[in-house]
Amino acid sequence: AGMFLIGVNVAEFVPDPSVEIPLGMMEDHGIALLVVTLTAIVLILGAAFVVIDRSAVSEARARYRHMALHDPLTGIANRACLNDALAEAVSASAALHARLAVAAIDLNRFKPVNDVHGHAAGDALLRGVAASLASALRPGEFVARTGGDEFLAFKTGLADRAEAEAFAARLAAAVRRPVDWEGLSLSVGCGVGVALFPQDGDTPAALQTRADLALYRAKG
């Protein structure tokens, strides 16, 4: 637009008297209006392309972030996402002098399902267990798949030990729900080990370690 304005101000146009101007020729103001209109259309299209490009970049970033923080098989949070969420929960609980429970979960009888029915059945079972665990969560609770047939969950705003035990029992009940797969009803059990903040540990790493130790005792 600036180049057009500069151009019409620095150029001088003189009609050639030897050339007959055809009837119906567009006048100067009509040509100017046409050029301005076309310029506006080009600018609008350019702005639209910029907006679309930025939107595509934002969507790509969100998609890659989701992939980085979620388990590709089950769709729930992965260990990286868990570490960030647990660190924030521990920090908030420490600031509020509140309690927190960390529950380590390991499936029982998962290997026989894989051995008898194949990995497709095992994958379907893991997806079903993850969906059951996610649906059993309440406000202030979080669950992630940490690898293989292992999951880890935590609960903030804990009132007492009994509430932690009820949380673990609710998770175990969710794991035991049968999963339908190709006409079969697949089911597993689980062991659950619980560690409490702050008495069992005051850092995310310490709480996960103590929860794993409790899990080993539970399975034993």
Side-chain angles (χ1 to χ4, degrees):
M3 293 173 63
F4 169 74
L5 293 175
I6 293 173
V8 298
N9 281 285
V10 302
E12 181 179 358
F13 300 94
V14 179
D16 186 349
S18 63
V19 177
E20 182 179 355
I21 299 177
L23 294 177
M25 193 74 171
M26 187 177 291
E27 297 182 359
D28 292 346
H29 68 274
I31 296 176
L33 179 60
L34 176 62
V35 172
V36 170
T37 302
L38 291 175
T39 302
I41 292 174
V42 171
L43 291 176
I44 292 172
L45 289 175
F49 283 129
V50 169
V51 171
I52 292 172
D53 183 63
R54 289 182 177 177
S55 176
V57 170
S58 298
E59 290 178 0
R61 287 177 178 172
R63 183 168 63 254
Y64 290 137
R65 175 173 174 78
H66 184 274
M67 291 171 59
L69 297 177
H70 290 78
D71 177 54
L73 175 63
T74 62
I76 65 173
N78 60 13
R79 183 178 290 277
C81 186
L82 166 71
N83 291 337
D84 291 343
L86 184 56
E88 292 180 4
V90 168
S91 178
S93 297
L96 297 173
H97 302 287
R99 296 178 180 178
L100 179 147
V102 175
I105 306 166
D106 184 73
L107 305 186
N108 296 333
R109 303 190 307 275
F110 176 71
K111 188 175 183 300
V113 172
N114 255 339
D115 292 343
V116 174
H117 302 292
H119 292 293
D123 290 346
L125 181 59
L126 287 173
R127 286 192 293 267
V129 168
S132 294
L133 287 171
S135 66
L137 296 182
R138 297 174 182 174
E141 299 176 356
F142 184 97
V143 68
R145 182 189 178 204
T146 54
D149 60 347
E150 298 176 352
F151 299 82
L152 193 139
F154 67 80
K155 178 181 180 64
T156 59
L158 201 68
D160 51 30
R161 182 185 180 89
E163 190 173 0
E165 293 175 353
F167 174 56
R170 177 156 42 90
L171 296 176
V175 169
R176 288 194 295 269
R177 293 175 192 163
V179 175
D180 293 329
W181 177 77
E182 294 189 356
L184 298 176
S185 181
L186 308 176
S187 63
V188 291
C190 69
V192 184
V194 180
L196 303 179
F197 172 87
Q199 54 264 49
D200 296 331
D202 57 2
T203 66
L207 288 169
Q208 291 186 58
T209 298
R210 297 300 295 273
D212 285 337
L213 290 173
L215 171 63
Y216 296 145
R217 290 183 62 187
K219 291 179 74 69

